Amino acid sequence: QVQVAESGGGSVQPGGSLRLSCVASEFDDYGYHTYCMGWFRQFPGKERERVAIGDSDGRPIYAQSAKGRFTVGQENAKNTLYLQMTDLKPEDTAMYYCAAANHCYSNDKDWDNLGYWGQGTQVTISS
């Protein structure tokens, strides 16, 4: 069973920063390397949307909404991915999820169906 675990959520004021961390099992249930990891978020009443994904070679791909304020990268250990968020805004308030997969899918539905997901961590931006 692939394990994916997020940490680092919480409440901050607008303009603040947060760093989320994720660690995932190195191999999936079929023995394939979980090559790609990603951060997604879900606003209340909305579908989950991609924030950024990164492969094991450290090449990030950002959604337009994340460019400029969010950065992803690997921690020191394998199969980890952090999400550094700066200049946070109230509209960034959401549940943030980490996912791992053996491929960096370009389609979010493929992530939904084929990725391995954590339980999520709440991020709240409020004054």
Side-chain angles (χ1 to χ4, degrees), residues 41-94:
R41 62 184 179 182
Q42 187 168 23
F43 303 108
K46 298 290 181 65
E47 290 191 354
R48 195 159 45 192
E49 65 177 36
R50 178 183 310 202
V51 175
I53 60 174
D55 63 22
S56 61
D57 294 323
R59 292 172 296 194
I61 303 172
Y62 295 96
Q64 189 62 39
S65 61
K67 290 181 180 178
R69 296 189 297 125
F70 294 1
T71 304
V72 294
Q74 288 186 328
E75 308 275 11
N76 290 331
K78 284 185 178 181
N79 278 72
T80 60
L81 190 73
Y82 66 80
L83 174 64
Q84 179 69 48
M85 303 183 289
T86 62
D87 190 25
L88 284 162
K89 306 175 188 303
E91 51 265 38
D92 293 316
T93 296

Short mmCIF file of all heavy atoms in Angstrom, two decimals, residues 41-94:
data_model
loop_
_atom_site.label_atom_id
_atom_site.label_comp_id
_atom_site.label_asym_id
_atom_site.label_seq_id
_atom_site.Cartn_x
_atom_site.Cartn_y
_atom_site.Cartn_z
N ARG A 41 -4.92 21.37 -4.88
CA ARG A 41 -5.74 21.99 -3.83
C ARG A 41 -7.20 21.95 -4.23
O ARG A 41 -7.54 21.88 -5.41
CB ARG A 41 -5.29 23.42 -3.55
CG ARG A 41 -5.42 24.39 -4.71
CD ARG A 41 -4.84 25.75 -4.33
NE ARG A 41 -4.93 26.71 -5.41
CZ ARG A 41 -4.47 27.94 -5.35
NH1 ARG A 41 -3.87 28.39 -4.24
NH2 ARG A 41 -4.59 28.76 -6.39
N GLN A 42 -8.03 22.00 -3.22
CA GLN A 42 -9.47 21.94 -3.45
C GLN A 42 -10.16 23.00 -2.62
O GLN A 42 -10.04 23.01 -1.38
CB GLN A 42 -10.02 20.56 -3.10
CG GLN A 42 -11.47 20.36 -3.48
CD GLN A 42 -11.89 18.91 -3.38
OE1 GLN A 42 -11.29 18.12 -2.66
NE2 GLN A 42 -12.92 18.56 -4.12
N PHE A 43 -10.87 23.89 -3.32
CA PHE A 43 -11.66 24.91 -2.65
C PHE A 43 -13.02 24.33 -2.30
O PHE A 43 -13.50 23.41 -2.99
CB PHE A 43 -11.83 26.13 -3.56
CG PHE A 43 -10.53 26.72 -4.01
CD1 PHE A 43 -10.11 26.59 -5.32
CD2 PHE A 43 -9.73 27.42 -3.13
CE1 PHE A 43 -8.91 27.14 -5.75
CE2 PHE A 43 -8.53 27.97 -3.54
CZ PHE A 43 -8.12 27.82 -4.84
N PRO A 44 -13.68 24.83 -1.29
CA PRO A 44 -15.00 24.30 -0.93
C PRO A 44 -15.96 24.34 -2.10
O PRO A 44 -16.11 25.36 -2.77
CB PRO A 44 -15.46 25.24 0.19
CG PRO A 44 -14.21 25.76 0.79
CD PRO A 44 -13.24 25.87 -0.34
N GLY A 45 -16.57 23.20 -2.38
CA GLY A 45 -17.55 23.13 -3.45
C GLY A 45 -16.97 23.07 -4.84
O GLY A 45 -17.72 23.09 -5.82
N LYS A 46 -15.65 23.00 -4.94
CA LYS A 46 -15.02 22.96 -6.26
C LYS A 46 -14.24 21.66 -6.45
O LYS A 46 -13.95 20.95 -5.50
CB LYS A 46 -14.06 24.16 -6.40
CG LYS A 46 -14.72 25.51 -6.30
CD LYS A 46 -15.58 25.79 -7.50
CE LYS A 46 -16.25 27.14 -7.46
NZ LYS A 46 -15.29 28.25 -7.52
N GLU A 47 -13.89 21.39 -7.71
CA GLU A 47 -13.07 20.23 -7.98
C GLU A 47 -11.61 20.52 -7.60
O GLU A 47 -11.17 21.66 -7.61
CB GLU A 47 -13.15 19.86 -9.47
CG GLU A 47 -14.49 19.30 -9.87
CD GLU A 47 -14.45 18.71 -11.28
OE1 GLU A 47 -13.42 18.84 -11.96
OE2 GLU A 47 -15.46 18.13 -11.68
N ARG A 48 -10.92 19.45 -7.32
CA ARG A 48 -9.51 19.58 -7.00
C ARG A 48 -8.75 20.10 -8.24
O ARG A 48 -9.04 19.67 -9.36
CB ARG A 48 -9.00 18.21 -6.56
CG ARG A 48 -7.68 18.22 -5.87
CD ARG A 48 -7.49 16.96 -5.02
NE ARG A 48 -7.87 15.74 -5.70
CZ ARG A 48 -8.00 14.58 -5.07
NH1 ARG A 48 -7.81 14.50 -3.77
NH2 ARG A 48 -8.33 13.49 -5.76
N GLU A 49 -7.77 20.97 -8.01
CA GLU A 49 -7.00 21.52 -9.12
C GLU A 49 -5.51 21.38 -8.83
O GLU A 49 -5.07 21.36 -7.69
CB GLU A 49 -7.34 22.99 -9.35
CG GLU A 49 -6.95 23.93 -8.22
CD GLU A 49 -7.23 25.39 -8.53
OE1 GLU A 49 -8.25 25.68 -9.18
OE2 GLU A 49 -6.42 26.24 -8.10
N ARG A 50 -4.77 21.32 -9.90
CA ARG A 50 -3.34 21.15 -9.78
C ARG A 50 -2.69 22.45 -9.33
O ARG A 50 -3.07 23.54 -9.75
CB ARG A 50 -2.75 20.73 -11.12
CG ARG A 50 -1.26 20.57 -11.13
CD ARG A 50 -0.77 20.23 -12.51
NE ARG A 50 -1.52 19.13 -13.08
CZ ARG A 50 -1.06 18.36 -14.06
NH1 ARG A 50 0.15 18.57 -14.54
NH2 ARG A 50 -1.80 17.40 -14.55
N VAL A 51 -1.66 22.34 -8.48
CA VAL A 51 -0.83 23.49 -8.12
C VAL A 51 0.52 23.36 -8.82
O VAL A 51 0.96 24.27 -9.52
CB VAL A 51 -0.65 23.57 -6.58
CG1 VAL A 51 0.31 24.70 -6.23
CG2 VAL A 51 -1.99 23.74 -5.89
N ALA A 52 1.17 22.24 -8.61
CA ALA A 52 2.47 22.03 -9.25
C ALA A 52 2.83 20.56 -9.13
O ALA A 52 2.41 19.88 -8.18
CB ALA A 52 3.55 22.88 -8.59
N ILE A 53 3.58 20.06 -10.07
CA ILE A 53 4.09 18.71 -9.99
C ILE A 53 5.59 18.74 -10.21
O ILE A 53 6.12 19.68 -10.83
CB ILE A 53 3.42 17.75 -10.99
CG1 ILE A 53 3.65 18.21 -12.43
CG2 ILE A 53 1.95 17.61 -10.69
CD1 ILE A 53 3.11 17.23 -13.46
N GLY A 54 6.27 17.72 -9.71
CA GLY A 54 7.72 17.65 -9.88
C GLY A 54 8.15 16.22 -10.02
O GLY A 54 7.65 15.33 -9.31
N ASP A 55 9.08 15.96 -10.93
CA ASP A 55 9.53 14.59 -11.09
C ASP A 55 10.81 14.38 -10.29
O ASP A 55 11.34 15.30 -9.68
CB ASP A 55 9.72 14.24 -12.57
CG ASP A 55 10.79 15.07 -13.26
OD1 ASP A 55 11.67 15.62 -12.58
OD2 ASP A 55 10.75 15.16 -14.50
N SER A 56 11.30 13.16 -10.31
CA SER A 56 12.45 12.81 -9.46
C SER A 56 13.73 13.48 -9.94
O SER A 56 14.72 13.47 -9.22
CB SER A 56 12.62 11.30 -9.41
OG SER A 56 12.86 10.78 -10.70
N ASP A 57 13.72 14.05 -11.13
CA ASP A 57 14.88 14.81 -11.61
C ASP A 57 14.79 16.28 -11.19
O ASP A 57 15.65 17.08 -11.57
CB ASP A 57 14.99 14.72 -13.13
CG ASP A 57 15.30 13.31 -13.58
OD1 ASP A 57 16.07 12.62 -12.87
OD2 ASP A 57 14.77 12.88 -14.61
N GLY A 58 13.76 16.60 -10.44
CA GLY A 58 13.65 17.96 -9.91
C GLY A 58 13.13 18.97 -10.88
O GLY A 58 13.38 20.17 -10.72
N ARG A 59 12.38 18.56 -11.89
CA ARG A 59 11.86 19.50 -12.87
C ARG A 59 10.40 19.83 -12.54
O ARG A 59 9.53 18.98 -12.70
CB ARG A 59 11.95 18.89 -14.28
CG ARG A 59 13.39 18.73 -14.73
CD ARG A 59 13.47 17.96 -16.02
NE ARG A 59 13.01 16.59 -15.88
CZ ARG A 59 13.25 15.65 -16.77
NH1 ARG A 59 13.92 15.94 -17.86
NH2 ARG A 59 12.80 14.43 -16.59
N PRO A 60 10.13 21.03 -12.07
CA PRO A 60 8.77 21.38 -11.68
C PRO A 60 7.94 21.90 -12.85
O PRO A 60 8.47 22.48 -13.80
CB PRO A 60 8.99 22.49 -10.65
CG PRO A 60 10.24 23.15 -11.10
CD PRO A 60 11.08 22.09 -11.75
N ILE A 61 6.66 21.65 -12.75
CA ILE A 61 5.70 22.21 -13.70
C ILE A 61 4.61 22.87 -12.88
O ILE A 61 3.97 22.21 -12.06
CB ILE A 61 5.09 21.11 -14.59
CG1 ILE A 61 6.19 20.35 -15.33
CG2 ILE A 61 4.11 21.73 -15.59
CD1 ILE A 61 5.69 19.13 -16.07
N TYR A 62 4.41 24.16 -13.08
CA TYR A 62 3.48 24.92 -12.26
C TYR A 62 2.20 25.24 -13.01
O TYR A 62 2.22 25.52 -14.20
CB TYR A 62 4.12 26.25 -11.82
CG TYR A 62 5.31 26.09 -10.92
CD1 TYR A 62 6.60 26.11 -11.43
CD2 TYR A 62 5.14 25.92 -9.55
CE1 TYR A 62 7.69 25.95 -10.61
CE2 TYR A 62 6.23 25.76 -8.72
CZ TYR A 62 7.51 25.78 -9.25
OH TYR A 62 8.59 25.63 -8.42
N ALA A 63 1.10 25.22 -12.27
CA ALA A 63 -0.13 25.76 -12.82
C ALA A 63 0.00 27.28 -12.87
O ALA A 63 0.79 27.86 -12.12
CB ALA A 63 -1.32 25.36 -11.94
N GLN A 64 -0.77 27.90 -13.73
CA GLN A 64 -0.66 29.35 -13.88
C GLN A 64 -0.91 30.06 -12.57
O GLN A 64 -0.25 31.05 -12.24
CB GLN A 64 -1.67 29.82 -14.94
CG GLN A 64 -1.51 31.27 -15.35
CD GLN A 64 -0.18 31.56 -15.98
OE1 GLN A 64 0.37 30.77 -16.75
NE2 GLN A 64 0.39 32.71 -15.63
N SER A 65 -1.84 29.55 -11.77
CA SER A 65 -2.19 30.19 -10.51
C SER A 65 -1.05 30.14 -9.50
O SER A 65 -1.04 30.91 -8.53
CB SER A 65 -3.42 29.51 -9.91
OG SER A 65 -3.16 28.15 -9.64
N ALA A 66 -0.08 29.25 -9.70
CA ALA A 66 1.00 29.08 -8.74
C ALA A 66 2.27 29.80 -9.14
O ALA A 66 3.18 29.95 -8.32
CB ALA A 66 1.30 27.59 -8.56
N LYS A 67 2.36 30.22 -10.37
CA LYS A 67 3.60 30.84 -10.84
C LYS A 67 3.88 32.14 -10.11
O LYS A 67 3.01 32.97 -9.94
CB LYS A 67 3.51 31.07 -12.35
CG LYS A 67 3.55 29.80 -13.16
CD LYS A 67 3.48 30.09 -14.65
CE LYS A 67 3.52 28.81 -15.44
NZ LYS A 67 3.41 29.04 -16.90
N GLY A 68 5.12 32.26 -9.67
CA GLY A 68 5.55 33.50 -9.04
C GLY A 68 5.50 33.49 -7.53
O GLY A 68 6.31 34.16 -6.88
N ARG A 69 4.56 32.76 -6.94
CA ARG A 69 4.42 32.77 -5.47
C ARG A 69 4.69 31.41 -4.85
O ARG A 69 4.99 31.33 -3.66
CB ARG A 69 3.02 33.23 -5.08
CG ARG A 69 2.69 34.66 -5.47
CD ARG A 69 1.37 35.10 -4.87
NE ARG A 69 0.26 34.30 -5.36
CZ ARG A 69 -0.60 33.64 -4.58
NH1 ARG A 69 -0.45 33.66 -3.26
NH2 ARG A 69 -1.59 32.95 -5.11
N PHE A 70 4.54 30.35 -5.63
CA PHE A 70 4.71 29.00 -5.09
C PHE A 70 5.93 28.34 -5.72
O PHE A 70 6.20 28.52 -6.91
CB PHE A 70 3.48 28.15 -5.39
CG PHE A 70 2.21 28.60 -4.70
CD1 PHE A 70 2.19 29.71 -3.86
CD2 PHE A 70 1.03 27.89 -4.89
CE1 PHE A 70 1.03 30.11 -3.24
CE2 PHE A 70 -0.13 28.28 -4.27
CZ PHE A 70 -0.14 29.40 -3.44
N THR A 71 6.62 27.55 -4.90
CA THR A 71 7.79 26.83 -5.38
C THR A 71 7.73 25.41 -4.86
O THR A 71 7.43 25.19 -3.68
CB THR A 71 9.09 27.49 -4.87
OG1 THR A 71 9.12 28.86 -5.25
CG2 THR A 71 10.31 26.78 -5.46
N VAL A 72 8.01 24.44 -5.71
CA VAL A 72 8.11 23.05 -5.26
C VAL A 72 9.53 22.58 -5.44
O VAL A 72 10.29 23.08 -6.27
CB VAL A 72 7.16 22.10 -6.03
CG1 VAL A 72 5.71 22.44 -5.73
CG2 VAL A 72 7.43 22.13 -7.52
N GLY A 73 9.90 21.61 -4.64
CA GLY A 73 11.23 21.02 -4.74
C GLY A 73 11.32 19.81 -3.85
O GLY A 73 10.42 19.52 -3.05
N GLN A 74 12.42 19.10 -4.04
CA GLN A 74 12.63 17.91 -3.22
C GLN A 74 13.28 18.29 -1.90
O GLN A 74 14.14 19.17 -1.86
CB GLN A 74 13.52 16.92 -3.96
CG GLN A 74 12.83 16.23 -5.12
CD GLN A 74 13.71 15.16 -5.73
OE1 GLN A 74 14.92 15.29 -5.75
NE2 GLN A 74 13.09 14.11 -6.22
N GLU A 75 12.86 17.58 -0.86
CA GLU A 75 13.57 17.69 0.41
C GLU A 75 14.86 16.87 0.28
O GLU A 75 15.18 16.38 -0.78
CB GLU A 75 12.70 17.14 1.55
CG GLU A 75 11.30 17.70 1.61
CD GLU A 75 11.20 19.01 2.37
OE1 GLU A 75 12.24 19.62 2.68
OE2 GLU A 75 10.06 19.43 2.64
N ASN A 76 15.55 16.68 1.35
CA ASN A 76 16.80 15.94 1.30
C ASN A 76 16.61 14.46 1.00
O ASN A 76 17.48 13.81 0.43
CB ASN A 76 17.56 16.10 2.62
CG ASN A 76 18.09 17.50 2.79
OD1 ASN A 76 18.38 18.18 1.82
ND2 ASN A 76 18.21 17.95 4.03
N ALA A 77 15.46 13.93 1.37
CA ALA A 77 15.22 12.50 1.19
C ALA A 77 14.52 12.26 -0.15
O ALA A 77 13.92 13.16 -0.73
CB ALA A 77 14.39 11.95 2.33
N LYS A 78 14.59 11.04 -0.63
CA LYS A 78 13.90 10.67 -1.86
C LYS A 78 12.40 10.70 -1.64
O LYS A 78 11.91 10.60 -0.53
CB LYS A 78 14.30 9.26 -2.27
CG LYS A 78 15.66 9.15 -2.88
CD LYS A 78 15.88 7.71 -3.37
CE LYS A 78 17.22 7.58 -4.03
NZ LYS A 78 17.44 6.20 -4.53
N ASN A 79 11.70 10.82 -2.72
CA ASN A 79 10.24 10.77 -2.70
C ASN A 79 9.64 11.74 -1.69
O ASN A 79 8.74 11.39 -0.91
CB ASN A 79 9.75 9.34 -2.44
CG ASN A 79 9.77 8.55 -3.72
OD1 ASN A 79 10.84 8.21 -4.22
ND2 ASN A 79 8.61 8.29 -4.29
N THR A 80 10.15 12.93 -1.74
CA THR A 80 9.59 14.02 -0.94
C THR A 80 9.37 15.20 -1.87
O THR A 80 10.06 15.36 -2.87
CB THR A 80 10.52 14.44 0.20
OG1 THR A 80 11.76 14.90 -0.35
CG2 THR A 80 10.80 13.30 1.16
N LEU A 81 8.41 16.01 -1.54
CA LEU A 81 8.15 17.21 -2.33
C LEU A 81 7.60 18.28 -1.40
O LEU A 81 6.60 18.06 -0.73
CB LEU A 81 7.15 16.93 -3.44
CG LEU A 81 6.99 18.04 -4.48
CD1 LEU A 81 8.22 18.11 -5.38
CD2 LEU A 81 5.74 17.82 -5.34
N TYR A 82 8.25 19.41 -1.35
CA TYR A 82 7.72 20.50 -0.55
C TYR A 82 7.00 21.51 -1.44
O TYR A 82 7.24 21.57 -2.64
CB TYR A 82 8.81 21.19 0.28
CG TYR A 82 9.85 21.94 -0.51
CD1 TYR A 82 9.60 23.21 -0.99
CD2 TYR A 82 11.10 21.39 -0.75
CE1 TYR A 82 10.55 23.91 -1.73
CE2 TYR A 82 12.06 22.07 -1.47
CZ TYR A 82 11.79 23.33 -1.96
OH TYR A 82 12.73 24.00 -2.69
N LEU A 83 6.13 22.26 -0.84
CA LEU A 83 5.45 23.36 -1.52
C LEU A 83 5.66 24.61 -0.66
O LEU A 83 5.12 24.72 0.43
CB LEU A 83 3.96 23.07 -1.68
CG LEU A 83 3.11 24.21 -2.26
CD1 LEU A 83 3.53 24.52 -3.69
CD2 LEU A 83 1.63 23.84 -2.21
N GLN A 84 6.49 25.48 -1.13
CA GLN A 84 6.76 26.74 -0.43
C GLN A 84 5.83 27.80 -1.00
O GLN A 84 5.88 28.09 -2.20
CB GLN A 84 8.22 27.16 -0.61
CG GLN A 84 8.58 28.48 0.07
CD GLN A 84 8.55 28.38 1.58
OE1 GLN A 84 9.12 27.45 2.15
NE2 GLN A 84 7.89 29.32 2.23
N MET A 85 5.00 28.36 -0.15
CA MET A 85 4.01 29.34 -0.60
C MET A 85 4.32 30.68 0.06
O MET A 85 4.48 30.76 1.28
CB MET A 85 2.60 28.88 -0.21
CG MET A 85 2.24 27.52 -0.79
SD MET A 85 0.56 27.01 -0.42
CE MET A 85 0.68 26.68 1.33
N THR A 86 4.38 31.72 -0.74
CA THR A 86 4.67 33.07 -0.22
C THR A 86 3.57 34.02 -0.65
O THR A 86 2.77 33.73 -1.54
CB THR A 86 6.02 33.57 -0.74
OG1 THR A 86 5.96 33.67 -2.18
CG2 THR A 86 7.15 32.64 -0.34
N ASP A 87 3.54 35.18 0.01
CA ASP A 87 2.55 36.21 -0.29
C ASP A 87 1.15 35.60 -0.39
O ASP A 87 0.41 35.83 -1.36
CB ASP A 87 2.92 36.94 -1.60
CG ASP A 87 2.07 38.17 -1.84
OD1 ASP A 87 1.54 38.74 -0.85
OD2 ASP A 87 1.91 38.56 -3.02
N LEU A 88 0.80 34.86 0.61
CA LEU A 88 -0.47 34.14 0.58
C LEU A 88 -1.65 35.09 0.65
O LEU A 88 -1.61 36.14 1.32
CB LEU A 88 -0.52 33.13 1.73
CG LEU A 88 0.32 31.88 1.47
CD1 LEU A 88 0.61 31.14 2.76
CD2 LEU A 88 -0.37 30.97 0.48
N LYS A 89 -2.72 34.71 -0.03
CA LYS A 89 -3.93 35.52 -0.13
C LYS A 89 -5.11 34.73 0.40
O LYS A 89 -5.08 33.49 0.39
CB LYS A 89 -4.18 35.90 -1.59
CG LYS A 89 -2.98 36.58 -2.26
CD LYS A 89 -3.24 36.84 -3.72
CE LYS A 89 -2.00 37.34 -4.45
NZ LYS A 89 -1.44 38.57 -3.86
N PRO A 90 -6.16 35.40 0.84
CA PRO A 90 -7.33 34.66 1.32
C PRO A 90 -7.86 33.66 0.30
O PRO A 90 -8.37 32.60 0.69
CB PRO A 90 -8.34 35.78 1.60
CG PRO A 90 -7.50 36.96 1.93
CD PRO A 90 -6.29 36.85 1.05
N GLU A 91 -7.73 33.97 -0.97
CA GLU A 91 -8.22 33.04 -2.00
C GLU A 91 -7.35 31.81 -2.16
O GLU A 91 -7.67 30.91 -2.94
CB GLU A 91 -8.36 33.75 -3.36
CG GLU A 91 -7.14 34.51 -3.81
CD GLU A 91 -7.20 35.98 -3.44
OE1 GLU A 91 -7.68 36.32 -2.33
OE2 GLU A 91 -6.74 36.81 -4.26
N ASP A 92 -6.23 31.73 -1.44
CA ASP A 92 -5.44 30.51 -1.42
C ASP A 92 -5.95 29.53 -0.36
O ASP A 92 -5.45 28.40 -0.26
CB ASP A 92 -3.97 30.83 -1.10
CG ASP A 92 -3.29 31.62 -2.20
OD1 ASP A 92 -3.48 31.27 -3.39
OD2 ASP A 92 -2.57 32.60 -1.88
N THR A 93 -6.93 29.95 0.42
CA THR A 93 -7.50 29.07 1.44
C THR A 93 -8.13 27.85 0.78
O THR A 93 -9.01 27.98 -0.09
CB THR A 93 -8.56 29.81 2.26
OG1 THR A 93 -7.94 30.88 2.98
CG2 THR A 93 -9.26 28.88 3.24
N ALA A 94 -7.67 26.68 1.17
CA ALA A 94 -8.12 25.43 0.54
C ALA A 94 -7.54 24.26 1.30
O ALA A 94 -6.69 24.41 2.17
CB ALA A 94 -7.66 25.38 -0.92
#
